[in-house]
Amino acid sequence: MNKTAVIIPARYNSKRLQGKPLIKVCDKPIIQWVWERAVTVKSADIVIIATDNKEIYDTAKEFGANVEMTRDDHKSGSDRIVEVAEKYPDFAYIINLQGDEPMINTDCVEEVIKQIKEDENADISTLLTEIENEDLDDPNMVKCVKDINGYAMYFSRSKIPYERNIGIAKFYKHIGIYGYKRDALFKMSKFSQPEIERAESLEQLRALYNGMKIKTSVVKYNSIGIDTIEDLNKFKKFAECN
């Protein structure tokens, strides 16, 4: 059976916000917020948390999640997902849902699954949202330029495209969720990290550098990804608790 699996990578040693999967908001760890959203996705056959940390593992087990322990030497979330997917040959479509997206819209996950299943030319699918008034120079906000067919041309922490002529360009923020065809995921994991990935610290650039096709969908949803204390405070305000 060709299954669709949502895998949530969760590591403890985040450089900017140590132990963030376990930080509690409204008495619930962030990783639980993400998992509770993920299990409502109708197109997913299974949801698994992948972690290299025993405390995260135990916490996930306590709230009823499927969870797999992984090695602690992975360089990226997709590498961690590969380790889990290798154990399950019936996972035909694998969704990488970031463990720091506690308010992810389930319709957005459904869209990622739809695109990767229906687009024969796509190796990977992901999401963008149009932005106007946010701080486009913020390096924590990843921007994307796409082509006429919706395939990503480049991702950057810098403001792209550069506005030599003001008021013409549209700007798109990347939402950190990916859908992979199984073969594409394993293919990408075998590539070495190119200089653009190492420079920007964006693993999706590894796929583009090696000629893989990333299909994007533009959605209205604007995520609250938690990378910093400021992001955490925004989420707390959104969740209406202190």
Side-chain angles (χ1 to χ4, degrees):
M1 179 181 175
N2 291 332
K3 290 184 177 180
T4 299
V6 174
I7 303 180
I8 306 169
R11 67 190 183 102
Y12 188 90
N13 290 318
S14 171
K15 292 180 180 178
R16 287 174 288 183
L17 196 59
Q18 185 86 345
K20 66 181 174 181
L22 298 175
I23 295 173
K24 289 190 175 182
V25 176
C26 299
D27 295 321
K28 188 161 57 179
I30 288 170
I31 190 63
Q32 185 174 351
W33 283 87
V34 180
W35 179 79
E36 288 180 353
R37 291 286 177 127
V39 294
T40 67
V41 175
K42 294 179 180 179
S43 298
D45 297 297
I46 189 169
V47 177
I48 299 173
I49 294 170
T51 186
D52 60 357
N53 179 267
K54 184 65 164 55
E55 190 176 355
I56 294 173
Y57 180 93
D58 291 341
T59 298
K61 280 290 188 182
E62 285 175 9
F63 61 73
N66 293 311
V67 56
E68 297 269 0
M69 280 293 290
T70 64
R71 302 196 318 269
D72 62 4
D73 59 347
H74 291 304
K75 294 180 179 178
S76 68
S78 60
D79 294 332
R80 192 176 310 284
I81 283 172
V82 166
E83 182 183 344
V84 174
E86 284 176 334
K87 302 176 183 178
Y88 301 93
D90 56 346
F91 288 2
Y93 303 99
I94 297 146
I95 312 306
N96 178 347
L97 178 58
Q98 304 298 311
D100 58 5
E101 292 273 353
M103 295 304 292
I104 187 69
N105 185 303
T106 53
D107 288 341
C108 291
V109 184
E110 299 281 7
E111 176 64 18
V112 168
I113 295 171
K114 177 176 179 288
Q115 286 286 11
I116 199 59
K117 286 185 173 181
E118 294 183 358
D119 191 323
E120 294 181 358
N121 296 316
D123 298 296
I124 303 167
S125 61
T126 194
L127 300 176
L128 308 176
T129 190
E130 190 172 346
I131 47 177
E132 295 179 358
N133 299 319
E134 296 186 53
D135 184 1
L136 290 165
D137 294 315
D138 181 356
N140 293 314
M141 182 197 298
V142 178
K143 278 71 69 176
C144 179
V145 173
K146 62 187 180 69
D147 70 14
I148 194 171
N149 296 311
Y151 294 104
M153 297 171 66
Y154 193 70
F155 296 86
S156 182
R157 297 184 182 279
S158 296
K159 179 181 176 181
I160 54 170
Y162 172 77
E163 285 187 291
R164 181 169 184 176
N165 299 302
I166 304 296
I168 296 174
K170 289 184 178 180
F171 295 93
Y172 295 96
K173 172 184 176 179
H174 180 225
I175 298 172
I177 175 173
Y178 303 94
Y180 295 92
K181 291 185 172 78
R182 182 180 183 86
D183 290 347
L185 175 63
F186 286 95
K187 179 180 177 182
M188 191 179 110
S189 72
K190 290 179 172 63
F191 294 133
S192 60
Q193 290 182 310
E195 64 275 12
I196 54 173
E197 178 185 355
R198 297 197 306 270
E200 297 247 24
S201 193
L202 296 174
E203 62 181 307
Q204 62 267 42
L205 294 177
R206 190 190 319 174
L208 292 183
Y209 183 83
N210 286 282
M212 299 177 78
K213 301 284 276 185
I214 302 178
K215 185 63 178 286
T216 69
S217 296
V218 178
V219 296
K220 296 291 187 183
Y221 169 75
N222 194 352
S223 65
I224 303 177
I226 299 177
D227 289 314
T228 64
I229 288 292
E230 290 75 19
D231 296 331
L232 179 62
N233 290 334
K234 285 179 186 177
F235 174 51
K236 285 181 176 179
K237 184 176 180 180
F238 186 88
E240 297 184 343
C241 62
N242 296 308

